[in-house]
Amino acid sequence: MKHVNKAYLLLAIIGLSVACTTQKRRDDLSPLGKLYHNTTAKYNGYFNANEIMIATFAQLDSQYQDNYNQILSMYPYLENENPQGIYPQMDTAIKKVSVVVNLHRPSQWTDDCYLLVGQAQFLKQDYESAEATFKYMLNEFDPKVAKKPSAKDRSKNTAKSVAEKKADLKEAQKERELTAKEKKREQNRLRKEREKRAKEIKKERARYSKAVKRARKKGLPPPKRPGASTQNTETKPEEQPAEKTPPPNSEGEKKDSKKNKKDKKDEKPEEPTEEAGPENYFLKHRPVYQDAKLWLAKTFIERDNYDGAQRLITQLNDDPNTLDIIRQDLMALQAYLLLKQNQDELAISPLEQAVASADKRTDKARYAFILAQLQQQAGNSDAAYANFEKVLKLTNDYEMEFNAKMNMAQNAWASGRGSAEDAVANLNQMIKDEKNTEYKDQIYYALANIALKAGDRTTAIENLILSLENSKNNNSQKLESSLKLAQLYYEDEDFVPAKQYFDIALQAMPDTDKRFKEVERLSKNLTDIAKNLEIIALQDSLLRIAQMSEDEKKEFAAKLKKQLEEQRAAEQAQLVNEQVGNKQVADSRSISTPALQKESSFFAYNDRALKQGKRDFQRKWGNRPLSDNWRRSTQQSASSLDEGAASDTVATVASVSDEEIENFLKGVPKTEAELTIVHIKIREAMMALGRLYRDRLQNNEKSIEILEELNRRYPASNEELDSWYYLYLAHKDLTQNAEAKTYADKIVAKYPNSTYAKVIQDPSYIVEVQNEENKIIKYYNDAYAAFARGEYQYAFSQSNAAREKFGATNPLQPKFALLSAMSTGNLKGKDAYVSALNEVIAKYPNTEEQKYAREVLRLLGASTGTLPGQQKIETDQFEVQNDQVHSVIVVLEDVASLNDCRNAVSDYNKKYHDPDKLRVTDVILPSGETKTPLIVVRRFKNKDDALKYITGIEKNAKDFIPSKFTYEIYAISQTNYGKLFATVKSVEVYKTFYDANYK
């Protein structure tokens, strides 16, 4: 018995080893081999990789926060702003299926493995690689392409006996020996069949005509035309339907029947035609060829190849063999393509089909919500209401259900089902529901929209402010509320709050938002405008206080003290909450590297400036509480304080000490000199606003308003000429020619020798000015070229002569001074060079030339042999080489941290960039006596790839270098890297070039 068991075991091992042998084709395998490869491929690598993919899709869907005030995303997993965050799991999935393909290629799961690779590349947003993978699948796994004969079949053919080969030759010879008579007989038979068929068709038509006449006489509808009567009697033989077997008594019966039997024997079963419909894959493996085509279309959309995507979608839609499981997603993809092309109304029809065909309730609910949003946007409130109602039946997500109800409330009165008052009442009722506490920000936003439709801007603004106050974790709602507030204030030309809310919107808005660039532009345009408006408001307040009597000042201080005492507890609680919230935000956004930090230019977001301003404000005004609607609260307090209205809660003047009064009124001008400074600040700010309104906002009316106010308040000021010229331009732009001529005459009469007067009298004068500027530029380029050639004496003489030739105030004088200093260094040595550079630093503060001079001085202090003047310190040494191979350099503060940081970078690359095989090295950049430690990450194909790597670090900073180390990070081309080490040896100089060309 033992021997028998051993024999069975040996046979099993031999059979398994044969099955495990990797073959080139699936057909070459035995049934046991196929079972082994299919089972091992599916339940090992592919199963584990597929589980990773399923979990990743779920993770991306769950972490995306829907913005219900915008059209919802069709595919939330596409909205991932940090694709590098999923690199590790996607790389793991690709590795697993790669092993499956290499070891079990004959299995029927090979195409599934390739599909999973393409999907992983797609989620990594490596769309180029995903496109290549899906295209390979379409070429390699097309089921309509005939397969080549297997090696086994070929070996069988080659192993035929000599007798079999002779028999094949004999049969072929018989077929060739068909006589002409037999061929003619066959042709005659076919002709007779056609004639017979033509007669039958003629009879059928005659019968049909008689039947039609009888039906007309009886008043009945005509009978259905027989299908045979529509056929063309002249159809070519190859277009005829299959010939019926000839009747037994037909000529050539025996020969034809023998031939037919032989043909049927050799005939292979026909493949199902396209009209047969999709194949049924119940209980058997389904190929994923159509899935690959669907995902390729999706990839084309992300690569903006809309024509290619539409072609694939049309092919799948028109193909009767397209599987139902593919059609479930096809119309959704069609709608997504149209939405990407901003053809929202055209997307409605495919979305209706997508709702009907989608298999999952969650998908149905999402598509129905998007459909309702599009119909609402198109003004079809009835249809929108119906689809929002459908969402309630489909979704189990409370947030979606809540938003559907809220939209139904708004669409009810828009569609005539109720009034605006009913909608407001429904929304207010929703506010009272405790379940909606975290959704109050959205309800107030909806109330604001209703108020705007009713033309009530004041109520709309109040509700938007309430929306922001109640916005806790909903960043999307914070964005929409702040942006709408900013737009309302901007339309009202109230630019200070407009600037503030634009900045809040920018903080909440991803840079992928299509509105980002426009909002950023508006915010930048309003930066200086808001700053000057605040200067005017502050200085006017100081002037009003300065004009008070001593008793009024004491009363003002007493009232202010009382207000502070009453609100101190509330203010402290609010400050604590704000500090906790700000700390959480700071912790979530903190990046220790200066190069990675993107700070707002608005002063309120500069932490040091904010704290300093708070201290200055408290010294001037005391510890005042924060509050919304600051205009009204300020006006209320100012009127109550300035007019001295009686109040039971007002503190007595005696309760305020002289020291407190001094602290409250610190900063208020007391002397004539201080008052003069206040007036100068107001004048300069008003003039700046006049320019900004016209140049930045193209708002000539506001420019005229502020400049006329400037001339009214400060006649014959230093700003008079500039203000008149801008008033002339503004009136001219508004085609107010009479007013424009008035200011033109004033300028010519009072300032006849000014540039403005010459331009007004002779418009060609501006061309002469430009020609003069061109002369200066050409002169400088000539002097600099001589310096570059080593002609230092000529460069020195030309630089010094520029002052007399073009005047000391010419715009290029700082450049001439620096060029002269550099020439001096080469002609007279180090001491003269240092002296000349110090003169540049002293004469031209806050210029690029001053920065360069300081950098050279730093290098000179560390240099012993060569003078830096013999090197080009300008950033012209570096070249813009976007398509060249790049590296990323990480600049550290001290050498001691080099090892730890290098290891951290290597770990980061292994986690997020393992397939890229990036190399990490550490080097020391010698900068005189100081040594700058660098970590170099190589290599990237071009600038875009290097910047993509840096962007990934910004989003995954916690996994990069530990926060206790300070660092800066830059991308650099291969050539510029060599120049940095060989000649420049200064990260500061490269930083200037980097800021100008890489940001």
Side-chain angles (χ1 to χ4, degrees):
M1 190 65 183
K2 291 182 179 179
H3 294 293
V4 174
N5 291 337
K6 287 181 180 179
Y8 281 128
L9 180 61
L10 181 60
L11 288 172
I13 292 173
I14 292 172
L16 187 61
S17 63
V18 172
C20 292
T21 304
T22 304
Q23 305 288 338
K24 292 183 178 180
R25 294 185 58 83
R26 190 181 307 164
D27 296 339
D28 295 341
L29 295 174
S30 65
L32 183 60
K34 290 181 181 179
L35 177 63
Y36 165 75
H37 281 291
N38 288 336
T39 304
T40 310
K42 178 180 180 181
Y43 292 107
N44 282 343
Y46 177 77
F47 175 82
N48 294 326
N50 192 48
E51 289 297 306
I52 293 173
M53 292 297 297
I54 293 172
T56 303
F57 274 109
Q59 171 193 337
L60 294 176
D61 285 344
S62 63
Q63 72 185 20
Y64 176 69
Q65 185 179 35
D66 283 313
N67 182 357
Y68 287 93
N69 297 306
Q70 298 290 319
I71 303 298
L72 291 190
S73 173
M74 291 285 295
Y75 306 106
Y77 58 82
L78 286 176
E79 307 300 328
N80 183 19
E81 296 177 13
N82 180 22
Q84 290 189 344
I86 61 168
Y87 275 17
Q89 52 263 48
M90 291 298 95
D91 292 338
T92 301
I94 291 173
K95 284 180 183 178
K96 288 182 180 296
V97 292
S98 298
V99 171
V100 172
V101 171
N102 288 328
L103 295 181
H104 308 290
R105 190 170 188 85
S107 78
Q108 60 190 8
W109 293 91
T110 301
D111 55 344
D112 297 79
C113 291
Y114 276 107
L115 178 67
L116 194 145
V117 170
Q119 291 172 334
Q121 292 165 335
F122 184 90
L123 291 185
K124 290 173 67 176
Q125 297 183 12
D126 184 4
Y127 299 123
E128 185 177 359
S129 298
E131 180 180 331
T133 301
F134 293 132
K135 282 183 175 178
Y136 172 80
M137 289 187 66
L138 297 187
N139 292 329
E140 184 71 12
F141 301 103
D142 188 348
K144 294 182 181 178
V145 176
K147 306 228 180 234
K148 296 180 180 179
S150 66
K152 187 182 292 184
D153 294 336
R154 290 195 299 272
S155 64
K156 284 181 179 179
N157 291 334
T158 56
K160 283 183 178 180
S161 65
V162 176
E164 288 174 331
K165 289 181 180 179
K166 286 183 178 180
D168 290 343
L169 289 172
K170 190 175 181 180
E171 186 69 26
Q173 182 66 22
K174 285 182 179 179
E175 291 179 1
R176 286 195 300 269
E177 289 177 354
L178 285 172
T179 61
K181 187 177 179 181
E182 290 173 335
K183 290 181 181 179
K184 189 174 181 180
R185 185 185 300 123
E186 181 67 17
Q187 290 174 357
N188 289 335
R189 187 181 66 79
L190 292 174
R191 179 175 55 77
K192 289 178 180 179
E193 287 290 328
R194 286 198 298 270
E195 290 174 355
K196 182 179 179 182
R197 183 62 183 155
K199 290 179 182 179
E200 290 177 355
I201 290 173
K202 189 174 181 180
K203 291 178 180 179
E204 287 175 358
R205 286 178 177 171
R207 286 195 296 270
Y208 178 72
S209 298
K210 291 179 181 179
V212 169
K213 290 178 180 179
R214 285 196 299 269
R216 286 177 180 171
K217 289 179 180 180
K218 296 179 180 180
L220 298 173
K224 187 177 180 181
R225 179 183 291 272
S229 64
T230 63
Q231 294 186 7
N232 188 351
T233 58
E234 300 300 323
T235 306
K236 296 180 181 179
E238 58 269 20
E239 295 175 349
Q240 288 283 351
E243 295 288 347
K244 296 181 180 179
T245 305
N249 59 353
S250 65
E251 191 177 351
E253 174 192 356
K254 294 182 180 179
K255 290 183 180 179
D256 290 341
S257 62
K258 287 180 181 179
K259 186 174 182 300
N260 288 338
K261 287 179 181 179
K262 184 177 184 305
D263 290 342
K264 289 180 180 180
K265 182 179 180 181
D266 297 336
E267 189 178 305
K268 295 181 180 179
E270 294 184 2
E271 294 183 2
T273 61
E274 289 190 355
E275 287 73 12
E279 187 174 347
N280 184 4
Y281 289 100
F282 181 67
L283 295 180
K284 64 178 180 178
H285 177 264
R286 178 179 70 84
V288 291
Y289 176 81
Q290 294 178 3
D291 302 71
K293 188 175 283 191
L294 190 77
W295 276 90
L296 180 57
K298 197 174 293 187
T299 306
F300 278 155
I301 294 173
E302 297 310 308
R303 301 199 72 189
D304 298 332
N305 183 0
Y306 300 135
D307 292 337
Q310 185 60 66
R311 184 177 64 255
L312 292 173
I313 292 172
T314 303
Q315 287 176 6
L316 287 169
N317 190 47
D318 294 345
D319 187 353
N321 292 314
T322 299
L323 302 170
D324 291 340
I325 194 172
I326 300 298
R327 292 191 183 278
Q328 289 171 5
D329 298 329
L330 194 58
M331 285 300 100
L333 188 60
Q334 176 69 77
Y336 178 64
L337 172 60
L338 292 169
L339 289 173
K340 288 284 284 187
Q341 298 177 86
N342 297 319
Q343 299 179 15
D344 293 358
E345 289 194 22
L346 293 179
I348 291 176
S349 177
L351 261 177
E352 290 173 341
Q353 299 177 57
V355 173
S357 63
D359 184 45
K360 299 179 181 177
R361 285 176 61 89
T362 53
D363 291 340
K364 280 180 175 287
R366 176 169 288 273
Y367 299 157
F369 198 100
I370 297 171
L371 175 60
Q373 288 179 310
L374 294 178
Q375 290 166 333
Q376 182 174 266
Q377 182 177 279
N380 191 350
S381 300
D382 283 325
Y385 186 94
N387 277 295
F388 281 127
E389 199 169 31
K390 186 181 292 184
V391 171
L392 295 180
K393 300 175 183 177
L394 292 170
T395 187
N396 294 323
D397 184 320
Y398 182 75
E399 186 174 7
M400 181 175 282
E401 179 184 339
F402 163 80
N403 279 278
K405 288 179 179 177
M406 194 167 62
N407 279 282
M408 286 172 66
Q410 296 177 73
N411 278 281
W413 67 274
S415 61
R417 302 175 188 231
S419 63
E421 291 75 14
D422 293 335
V424 171
N426 288 335
L427 291 171
N428 284 326
Q429 189 63 35
M430 293 174 72
I431 291 176
K432 297 175 183 178
D433 191 340
E434 292 183 359
K435 290 189 298 184
N436 298 330
T437 301
E438 62 179 302
Y439 302 113
K440 283 184 177 180
D441 53 347
Q442 298 178 55
I443 301 174
Y444 283 119
Y445 183 80
L447 287 168
N449 284 330
I450 294 175
L452 281 175
K453 288 181 181 179
D456 189 353
R457 293 172 72 90
T458 302
T459 302
I461 289 174
E462 290 174 354
N463 281 316
L464 288 171
I465 291 173
L466 287 170
S467 175
L468 281 176
E469 287 179 354
N470 287 277
S471 184
K472 297 179 176 64
N473 301 318
N474 193 340
N475 202 51
S476 298
Q477 186 56 62
K478 182 180 180 182
L479 162 62
E480 300 303 327
S481 297
S482 57
L483 184 56
K484 185 153 286 189
L485 262 175
Q487 290 167 341
L488 290 174
Y489 280 123
Y490 186 85
E491 291 169 5
D492 292 341
E493 297 182 345
D494 203 349
F495 296 121
V496 172
K499 162 66 180 174
Q500 292 171 347
Y501 287 117
F502 274 132
D503 282 343
I504 293 172
L506 277 177
Q507 292 291 323
M509 183 183 291
D511 55 10
T512 54
D513 193 305
K514 59 185 179 183
R515 301 168 294 178
F516 184 85
K517 289 185 178 179
E518 177 63 14
V519 174
E520 186 179 44
R521 183 187 69 81
L522 290 170
S523 176
K524 288 180 178 178
N525 285 345
L526 291 179
T527 299
D528 292 333
I529 291 174
K531 180 181 177 182
N532 284 288
L533 285 170
E534 287 170 339
I535 289 173
I536 294 172
L538 175 61
Q539 301 305 319
D540 279 341
S541 298
L542 294 175
L543 285 177
R544 284 197 299 271
I545 297 171
Q547 292 169 1
M548 291 181 181
S549 65
E550 291 300 320
D551 290 340
E552 288 173 335
K553 289 178 181 179
K554 289 180 181 179
E555 186 177 353
F556 179 88
K559 293 174 182 178
L560 185 57
K561 179 181 178 182
K562 183 61 178 178
Q563 285 183 348
L564 296 176
E565 288 176 350
E566 289 176 348
Q567 300 178 12
R568 191 175 302 277
E571 180 198 13
Q572 292 301 324
Q574 183 178 359
L575 287 174
V576 169
N577 291 335
E578 287 181 354
Q579 289 170 358
V580 171
N582 290 337
K583 185 177 186 304
Q584 291 173 346
V585 172
D587 290 343
S588 64
R589 296 183 179 178
S590 63
I591 300 176
S592 59
T593 65
L596 297 182
Q597 291 176 345
K598 183 178 180 182
E599 296 181 354
S600 171
S601 59
F602 187 53
F603 74 94
Y605 302 126
N606 184 318
D607 190 57
R608 282 183 293 181
L610 188 61
K611 290 178 179 177
Q612 180 63 39
K614 185 176 178 180
R615 287 194 294 269
D616 292 342
F617 183 88
Q618 288 177 343
R619 281 197 297 269
K620 293 177 184 178
W621 304 103
N623 196 15
R624 300 193 67 181
L626 300 174
S627 61
D628 290 310
N629 299 324
W630 58 273
R631 261 178 189 68
R632 278 173 279 178
S633 60
T634 303
Q635 291 170 359
Q636 181 182 358
S637 60
S639 62
S640 62
L641 296 175
D642 294 344
E643 296 172 8
S647 174
D648 295 336
T649 61
V650 174
T652 61
V653 176
S655 66
V656 186
S657 65
D658 292 339
E659 184 179 358
E660 288 175 322
I661 294 174
E662 183 66 24
N663 287 332
F664 287 149
L665 303 182
K666 190 175 182 180
V668 175
K670 298 176 182 177
T671 65
E672 286 298 322
E674 291 175 344
L675 284 170
T676 301
I677 292 173
V678 169
H679 287 297
I680 290 173
K681 289 181 178 180
I682 294 174
R683 284 182 1 229
E684 290 176 346
M686 294 177 82
M687 185 64 234
L689 282 173
R691 289 194 185 97
L692 292 167
Y693 284 144
R694 182 180 182 274
D695 297 342
R696 297 274 181 86
L697 304 184
Q698 290 77 50
N699 191 332
N700 290 293
E701 292 85 353
K702 289 292 289 184
S703 180
I704 292 171
E705 178 185 335
I706 191 67
L707 292 176
E708 287 182 345
E709 176 66 13
L710 167 63
N711 288 319
R712 185 188 64 77
R713 289 183 63 177
Y714 301 102
S717 66
N718 291 340
E719 290 76 25
E720 184 178 65
L721 174 59
D722 288 337
S723 68
W724 283 356
Y725 185 68
Y726 265 83
L727 283 165
Y728 160 75
L729 293 175
H731 282 299
K732 192 173 181 182
D733 288 345
L734 294 172
T735 65
Q736 297 172 353
N737 298 325
E739 292 83 353
K741 186 176 184 305
T742 299
Y743 285 105
D745 293 341
K746 285 184 176 182
I747 292 171
V748 172
K750 190 169 183 179
Y751 303 98
N753 297 323
S754 66
T755 302
Y756 294 144
K758 292 177 181 178
V759 170
I760 290 171
Q761 292 175 312
D762 182 11
S764 64
Y765 178 76
I766 193 68
V767 178
E768 296 177 13
V769 173
Q770 290 174 348
N771 290 337
E772 191 67 21
E773 290 178 355
N774 292 334
K775 286 181 184 178
I776 300 175
I777 294 171
K778 185 178 179 181
Y779 185 89
Y780 173 78
N781 289 338
D782 179 61
Y784 187 83
F787 175 83
R789 292 193 302 268
E791 300 173 8
Y792 303 121
Q793 185 60 54
Y794 180 79
F796 176 78
S797 301
Q798 290 292 92
S799 300
N800 290 338
R803 187 181 184 89
E804 294 182 5
K805 188 174 181 65
F806 301 107
T809 59
N810 76 78
L812 297 186
Q813 189 54 39
K815 291 186 177 293
F816 283 119
L818 180 61
L819 187 59
S820 174
M822 295 171 68
S823 302
T824 299
N826 286 278
L827 293 171
K828 300 181 181 179
K830 181 177 179 179
D831 292 339
Y833 191 31
V834 171
S835 176
L837 289 172
N838 281 320
E839 186 175 351
V840 172
I841 292 171
K843 284 187 175 180
Y844 305 103
N846 303 320
T847 62
E848 288 297 318
E849 290 71 28
Q850 184 194 56
K851 293 179 183 178
Y852 293 143
R854 282 177 173 165
E855 179 63 19
V856 174
L857 282 178
R858 187 180 70 80
L859 294 172
L860 279 172
S863 173
T864 54
T866 338
L867 289 175
Q870 294 172 326
Q871 304 170 4
K872 290 172 63 179
I873 64 158
E874 304 229 16
T875 56
D876 294 344
Q877 295 177 86
F878 298 112
E879 303 174 34
V880 177
Q881 300 162 323
N882 296 338
D883 296 328
Q884 195 181 76
V885 171
H886 272 61
S887 299
V888 168
I889 56 174
V890 182
V891 185
L892 305 175
E893 270 196 342
D894 61 275
V895 179
S897 63
L898 194 55
N899 289 335
D900 291 339
C901 292
R902 183 190 62 240
N903 293 335
V905 173
S906 297
D907 292 341
Y908 174 86
N909 289 343
K910 186 173 182 181
K911 180 175 182 180
Y912 291 101
H913 297 275
D914 193 29
D916 300 333
K917 305 301 179 187
L918 300 174
R919 291 179 296 158
V920 180
T921 56
D922 56 83
V923 294
I924 301 295
L925 176 65
S927 301
E929 294 179 356
T930 61
K931 307 293 182 183
T932 305
L934 304 177
I935 296 173
V936 184
V937 183
R938 297 184 178 91
R939 64 190 254 156
F940 300 93
K941 185 168 65 175
N942 51 36
K943 167 187 171 181
D944 291 339
D945 284 359
L947 291 180
K948 186 177 179 182
Y949 177 82
I950 294 175
T951 302
I953 294 173
E954 293 176 4
K955 295 177 178 178
N956 302 285
K958 66 182 187 313
D959 295 325
F960 197 58
I961 293 176
S963 58
K964 63 181 179 180
F965 300 115
T966 301
Y967 63 92
E968 296 181 356
I969 185 166
Y970 308 99
I972 187 169
S973 68
Q974 193 169 1
T975 301
N976 289 337
Y977 180 82
K979 290 180 179 180
L980 177 65
F981 275 81
T983 57
V984 181
K985 298 181 180 179
S986 170
V987 174
E988 289 299 320
V989 176
Y990 181 73
K991 181 180 178 181
T992 303
F993 172 82
Y994 182 85
D995 290 342
N997 296 282
Y998 281 79
K999 290 189 176 181

